[in-house]
Amino acid sequence: TLHDNISFSTQTGNRVQVSRLSSDGLILTDSKYPTLGQASMLYQDFIKVPPIQLTPASSDWAVYATSGTARPTVSRNGRLIQLSGVFTNTKALGGSSTWETVCVLPSWARPNVGLNFLAQGSGTYIFNVNIQPDGQLRISKYRNSSTFSNATVGSGFNVSQTFAAADF
């Protein structure tokens, strides 16, 4: 087999530093930090995807705007995923803890573990957003103050968030 490896090492006293460059990425080790293992930068750490518009998961959802800051988009810069924009509902939603799938993120824009955060809805309403490792962006618990509320047709659901992408 052909090995596509370039390795460098330096030793200063008892400290040994090794760097290896291959088609897998850049791997670094340092004997000064034995409990941290190796550090690596892989292909996924260099991916850059400009903002693309997200597509609603079903006819129950629509994009709030097709331009400007309310346009729901996703972009990637290295491991950093940036969600931006607003979706709107085309059917009334109950304010319960039932999850509603708004959209599905592309494979390159998914988290390693499920994420939860509160987001701003229309007016003084807030809701819970959940992003699953399979890319489902879901919402639930639409509420005003301490009471669940129904979301009337045309309510705004801001999904803006930043998080780290998983390997894909």
Side-chain angles (χ1 to χ4, degrees):
T1 52
L2 179 64
H3 296 283
D4 60 345
N5 243 307
I6 300 172
S7 294
F8 302 94
S9 64
T10 59
Q11 183 168 355
T12 306
N14 291 333
R15 184 178 183 185
V16 178
Q17 295 172 299
V18 178
S19 44
R20 180 175 60 85
L21 179 63
S22 73
S23 59
D24 294 331
L26 175 64
I27 311 296
L28 306 170
T29 57
D30 190 330
S31 64
K32 184 176 179 179
Y33 309 104
T35 59
L36 297 179
Q38 63 185 16
S40 60
M41 291 192 76
L42 306 176
Y43 175 78
Q44 285 114 354
D45 295 303
F46 297 97
I47 294 172
K48 186 166 182 150
V49 180
I52 62 167
Q53 185 169 305
L54 292 166
T55 303
S58 72
S59 61
D60 295 341
W61 295 96
V63 298
Y64 191 81
T66 56
S67 64
T69 59
R71 176 181 177 230
T73 62
V74 62
S75 62
R76 180 174 175 144
N77 190 356
R79 290 286 175 163
L80 188 66
I81 301 298
Q82 177 68 56
L83 290 176
S84 184
V86 181
F87 281 95
T88 186
N89 54 323
T90 60
K91 74 167 191 171
L93 299 174
S96 72
S97 58
T98 300
W99 290 107
E100 298 277 346
T101 300
V102 177
C103 70
V104 178
L105 299 177
S107 61
W108 51 263
R110 297 175 180 178
N112 189 40
V113 297
L115 304 173
N116 287 293
F117 59 93
L118 287 177
Q120 183 65 49
S122 295
T124 59
Y125 290 88
I126 60 173
F127 59 98
N128 192 40
V129 178
N130 173 265
I131 304 172
Q132 291 292 302
D134 66 1
Q136 287 187 69
L137 187 149
R138 309 178 310 168
I139 63 105
S140 75
K141 301 179 183 173
Y142 193 73
R143 63 190 180 278
N144 191 357
S145 185
S146 61
T147 319
F148 286 152
S149 302
N150 292 335
T152 59
V153 171
S155 296
F157 294 85
N158 182 350
V159 297
S160 298
Q161 184 64 261
T162 303
F163 59 90
D167 288 339
F168 68 97

